[in-house]
Amino acid sequence: MKTTALTQKHIALGAKMVEFAGYDMPVLYSGINDEHHAVRKSAGIFDVSHMGEFILKGPNALALIQQVTTNDASKLVPGKIQYSCFPNNDGGIVDDLLVYCIDDKTYMLVVNASNIQKDWDWIMKFNSHDVEMHNISDQTSLLAVQGPDATKILQPLTSMNLNDMVYYTFQKGVFAGCENVLVSNTGYTGAGGFEIYFENKYADTIWDAIMKEGMKFGLKPAGLGARDTLRLEMGFCLYGNDIDDTTSPIEAGLGWITKFSKEFNNSSALKLQKEQGVVRKLVGFKMMEKGIPRKGYQICDESGNEIGIVTSGTMSPTLNEAIGMGYVKSELSSEGTQIFIKVRDKLLKSSIIKVPFVKK
Amino acid sequence: MNFPSELKYTKEHEWVRLDGDTATIGITDFAQGELGDIVYIDVDTVGDVIDKDEVFGTVEAVKTVSDLFMPVTGEISELNEALNNQPELVNSDPYGDGWLIKVKISDPSQFEGLLSVDEYQSLVGA
């Protein structure tokens, strides 16, 4: 099993460790609900160093990114970030990712840990114009500091102006005395905050500095468990659950990052899908009866006929209500539609609602 | 971890306290720790007679769902109603206010066949 540069810190803090995407990762420290509330109310720190980072470099880097991703990367300027996905040629998604524009010939792609090799091979297939590619995942650590107090905790550690850093932008500079640290105003929680990329050798220094600054604000280390409940409250897709090789970006509600102003892999088929409409759609729903939806549970109509499938579900710690996401037939996907979730042998009433489940 | 010596245990991580012919059943401190934050106890078998080792309900934690098995055959006479609003009692007080059900047992010899505290502790490596 792979480790991150901070694995020993997590173990020393008493984290419960699990294997995730081939890495030994903390799933929780004090408890999912406790960590979840800390992120919504003050701040939490997540080690997400398992995520993958690729550097694409050269005069043809942009053209390659345009070919393999759905969003329009030509809109990026240095210091800006874009959410995007790699479509496959069968209507599905290879992975979702962030595209960082370092300069007009250099980009960083941030991908899911479980897909690092798959993504690398996929991009390589289309790299016919000698774009220089570097997989820096194993040398790179990534911390997410998320929550309303994140700026107050991190600002004393750097001269980069975090207060004025706009959402989905980044800067590079010195952080906690460490050089070449990239800080971006991004995250996967909807609570605000930053993601911090740096070389593994700085991991202990940066972790300790943030934990020390965070103490007076109640910063808590948070694991993958809270990361999942936080992202689900915002209706953010998780690759492997809500999107995968068989779900199209249009079905998944990712039309907003699918730009037909350019051509890309499978763009003509996806364009047709957008114009003609999709057969199923990813929706959010809230349980109206007691019970918790889980990935793989059937979504049914009143008579018990299957009309879809749950892709994510949990008890929302913020709302104290059971929520979920799943694919349903398009004609049954409008807000307010009553659906039923088959929990074990029972059909439990549920209602389709708009995401995010938790409003900012 | 806490394992009261007056209780009997199962390999499914439940505890049983016998009082006359009524058994009170819950999950162990080890089990609640493994499950993490418990958010819902789903038991709709009150009034039913359920055999030993059959499922009588489920416990839902934030991340996982786990079946609850009858340690002994009997009729489920009561569900701990306090858990409807405070399922977290199972985490905070698994042997006390976090009990799950009461059962009228059919065969007292089944109780004697359950694990002793020592046997259960060695099972979970405590």
Side-chain angles (χ1 to χ4, degrees):
Chain A
M1 212 175 354
K2 284 182 145 183
T3 56
T4 76
L6 292 161
T7 299
Q8 288 311 317
K9 290 260 181 222
H10 306 315
I11 293 170
L13 282 164
K16 182 171 173 183
M17 305 295 287
V18 295
E19 195 203 319
F20 181 79
Y23 288 80
D24 194 19
M25 297 299 289
V27 65
L28 62 87
Y29 304 78
S30 55
I32 295 175
N33 283 340
D34 187 53
E35 294 161 28
H36 182 108
H37 294 311
V39 171
R40 288 266 178 261
K41 289 175 189 151
S42 50
I45 178 169
F46 302 82
D47 176 15
V48 282
S49 301
H50 59 311
M51 300 287 286
E53 295 87 9
F54 304 153
I55 301 291
L56 272 59
K57 214 171 184 168
N60 296 314
L62 176 62
L64 176 58
I65 291 167
Q66 289 289 63
Q67 165 83 41
V68 297
T69 65
T70 53
N71 209 338
D72 188 356
S74 73
K75 297 277 196 276
L76 287 170
V77 294
K80 285 207 77 169
I81 307 159
Q82 199 171 62
Y83 179 56
S84 194
C85 74
F86 300 120
N88 64 27
N89 282 317
D90 310 310
I93 298 172
V94 178
D95 201 4
D96 61 341
L97 74 154
L98 292 180
V99 181
Y100 285 67
C101 179
I102 312 282
D103 62 48
D104 63 358
K105 292 182 185 60
T106 315
Y107 295 82
M108 178 169 78
L109 310 186
V110 182
V111 303
N112 284 299
S114 51
N115 293 331
I116 293 174
Q117 192 60 47
K118 181 175 86 162
D119 294 347
W120 178 268
D121 295 343
W122 179 257
I123 302 166
M124 278 298 251
K125 255 173 74 167
F126 300 94
N127 186 9
S128 47
H129 293 284
D130 293 328
V131 174
E132 214 182 295
M133 283 176 53
H134 301 279
N135 180 356
I136 60 165
S137 307
D138 287 345
Q139 301 95 269
T140 307
S141 293
L142 171 55
L143 291 177
V145 179
Q146 300 280 298
D149 291 333
T151 310
K152 279 181 275 183
I153 292 166
L154 300 178
Q155 190 61 81
L157 296 170
T158 183
S159 58
M160 291 181 261
N161 187 342
L162 303 181
N163 256 315
D164 294 343
M165 191 182 283
V166 172
Y167 192 51
Y168 269 64
T169 66
F170 70 93
Q171 287 181 45
K172 266 180 153 184
V174 177
F175 185 95
C178 304
E179 308 224 337
N180 200 27
V181 175
L182 189 158
V183 180
S184 66
N185 183 339
T186 49
Y188 195 43
T189 64
F194 299 88
E195 293 183 298
I196 307 165
Y197 300 79
F198 49 88
E199 288 172 63
N200 288 344
K201 63 180 176 190
Y202 298 135
D204 284 346
T205 306
I206 290 180
W207 174 274
D208 290 343
I210 296 171
M211 288 292 278
K212 188 161 171 252
E213 285 296 331
M215 227 152 50
K216 50 183 173 287
F217 296 99
L219 172 79
K220 288 197 171 164
L224 295 180
R227 186 169 159 83
D228 191 48
T229 53
L230 287 157
R231 70 93 194 167
L232 188 47
E233 284 187 343
M234 301 312 295
F236 295 154
C237 289
L238 172 63
Y239 193 89
N241 278 42
D242 315 298
I243 50 175
D244 62 28
D245 292 302
T246 68
T247 62
S248 96
I250 309 298
E251 293 170 335
L254 299 177
W256 62 281
I257 59 160
T258 307
K259 300 290 167 61
F260 298 110
S261 50
K262 61 159 202 174
E263 283 192 9
F264 53 91
N265 287 336
N266 211 32
S267 57
S268 48
L270 292 176
K271 188 161 185 242
L272 202 65
Q273 202 176 67
K274 187 167 187 178
E275 287 162 1
Q276 297 185 340
V278 289
V279 177
R280 57 175 187 168
K281 274 186 189 165
L282 184 64
V283 297
F285 58 86
K286 175 169 108 171
M287 300 301 290
M288 310 304 283
E289 292 183 278
K290 274 211 160 189
I292 295 165
R294 306 280 181 187
K295 181 185 177 183
Y297 286 7
Q298 280 181 21
I299 302 176
C300 298
D301 63 16
E302 209 164 355
S303 332
N305 303 307
E306 186 171 354
I307 56 165
I309 190 147
V310 175
T311 54
S312 287
T314 194
M315 187 70 157
S316 157
T318 303
L319 304 171
N320 204 23
E321 290 178 320
I323 57 171
M325 296 205 291
Y327 286 92
V328 295
K329 292 180 177 172
S330 294
E331 63 270 25
L332 299 167
S333 67
S334 58
E335 217 183 316
T337 304
Q338 192 173 86
I339 56 174
F340 293 81
I341 309 300
K342 198 168 180 183
V343 178
R344 293 173 282 281
D345 52 352
K346 283 174 279 186
L347 288 176
L348 301 183
K349 234 181 247 174
S350 175
S351 183
I352 293 178
I353 61 170
K354 235 191 175 127
V355 295
F357 297 102
V358 172
K359 317 288 183 228
K360 282 189 211 181
Chain B
M1 261 179 294
N2 173 23
F3 302 105
S5 58
E6 72 275 18
L7 304 179
K8 289 281 196 177
Y9 297 86
T10 74
K11 61 177 179 16
E12 306 290 350
H13 309 290
E14 285 149 332
W15 58 262
V16 185
R17 175 185 289 121
L18 193 60
D19 187 10
D21 64 350
T22 300
T24 304
I25 294 165
I27 66 168
T28 65
D29 197 14
F30 174 82
Q32 70 78 19
E34 287 296 302
L35 287 165
D37 294 322
I38 289 165
V39 291
Y40 179 42
I41 306 292
D42 186 8
V43 174
D44 60 1
T45 46
V46 175
D48 295 357
V49 176
I50 299 180
D51 285 342
K52 178 176 159 64
D53 299 330
E54 294 296 312
V55 173
F56 71 86
T58 52
V59 51
E60 299 257 13
V62 177
K63 284 299 275 188
T64 52
V65 53
S66 188
D67 282 331
L68 294 164
F69 297 93
M70 284 294 268
V72 288
T73 300
E75 180 190 339
I76 299 185
S77 55
E78 197 179 338
L79 166 69
N80 182 358
E81 297 291 340
L83 302 180
N84 278 335
N85 295 319
Q86 290 178 280
E88 64 274 14
L89 287 172
V90 180
N91 290 118
S92 58
D93 191 9
Y95 304 112
D97 292 343
W99 64 273
L100 301 180
I101 55 167
K102 289 190 193 292
V103 174
K104 288 250 174 287
I105 64 168
S106 316
D107 176 4
S109 72
Q110 283 181 346
F111 177 78
E112 296 308 322
L114 297 171
L115 302 178
S116 68
V117 67
D118 291 341
E119 288 166 327
Y120 182 67
Q121 276 182 304
S122 65
L123 179 79
V124 299

